[in-house]
Amino acid sequence: MKRTSSLLVAVLAAFALPVLAQTAPAKDPAATPGIDKRQANQQQRIDQGVKSGELTAKEAARLEKGQERVQRMEDKAKADGVVTKQERARLQQAENVQSRHIAKEKHDRQRDRNHDGKKDRPARNK
């Protein structure tokens, strides 16, 4: 009886250990794929605005500086290895602000038609 039960335990252990080893790894608490994707999207919006002339060189530089600020915030949040809920909320709020700035600058009717970095807004009629 003792031999059968120890054999049964050994067989069960042989099958149970590989199953336990196959569990998915724990989610990285410092991973921020949503924030990274959004930053890439906003960078693409800035690049498209420069290419189309919707953004002047000065506007684009200002928006780039804002993107760098958000990246620094993200790097600081990741520094300890864990991005907390509050840090994620703060990063999302900073991304929201940056998104509004991009939209505002792209639609403010300032143009760089020949892409030389100078404003090409027509002179006002007095």
Side-chain angles (χ1 to χ4, degrees):
M1 179 77 171
K2 200 173 201 179
R3 184 177 174 163
T4 317
S5 61
S6 62
L7 182 63
L8 181 63
V9 168
V11 170
L12 288 174
F15 286 109
L17 288 176
V19 170
L20 291 174
Q22 290 179 1
T23 59
K27 188 175 178 184
D28 182 14
T32 54
I35 293 170
D36 294 336
K37 185 176 179 181
R38 187 162 181 198
Q39 281 185 286
N41 180 315
Q42 289 185 352
Q43 185 61 49
Q44 189 176 21
R45 289 171 58 201
I46 294 169
D47 294 342
Q48 183 275 328
V50 169
K51 186 177 176 184
S52 70
E54 291 177 314
L55 293 173
T56 65
K58 196 180 268 190
E59 289 172 335
R62 193 176 311 122
L63 293 172
E64 293 283 348
K65 193 178 276 190
Q67 285 294 102
E68 290 170 8
R69 180 181 156 272
V70 173
Q71 184 61 49
R72 282 193 310 273
M73 287 176 65
E74 181 182 4
D75 293 342
K76 188 175 179 181
K78 287 182 175 182
D80 63 354
V82 177
V83 180
T84 65
K85 239 181 183 179
Q86 291 87 358
E87 289 171 329
R88 286 182 195 277
R90 197 172 299 123
L91 285 167
Q92 187 175 14
Q93 202 271 337
E95 287 285 352
N96 291 343
V97 168
Q98 187 64 16
S99 181
R100 284 193 299 271
H101 286 187
I102 294 169
K104 181 181 172 192
E105 294 294 350
K106 282 181 74 172
H107 297 94
D108 65 357
R109 301 183 75 188
Q110 292 178 354
R111 307 294 285 173
D112 186 14
R113 287 178 177 59
N114 54 2
H115 310 293
D116 63 355
K118 298 177 184 172
K119 289 182 190 175
D120 291 330
R121 186 192 298 183
R124 290 185 186 180
N125 295 334
K126 292 185 178 182

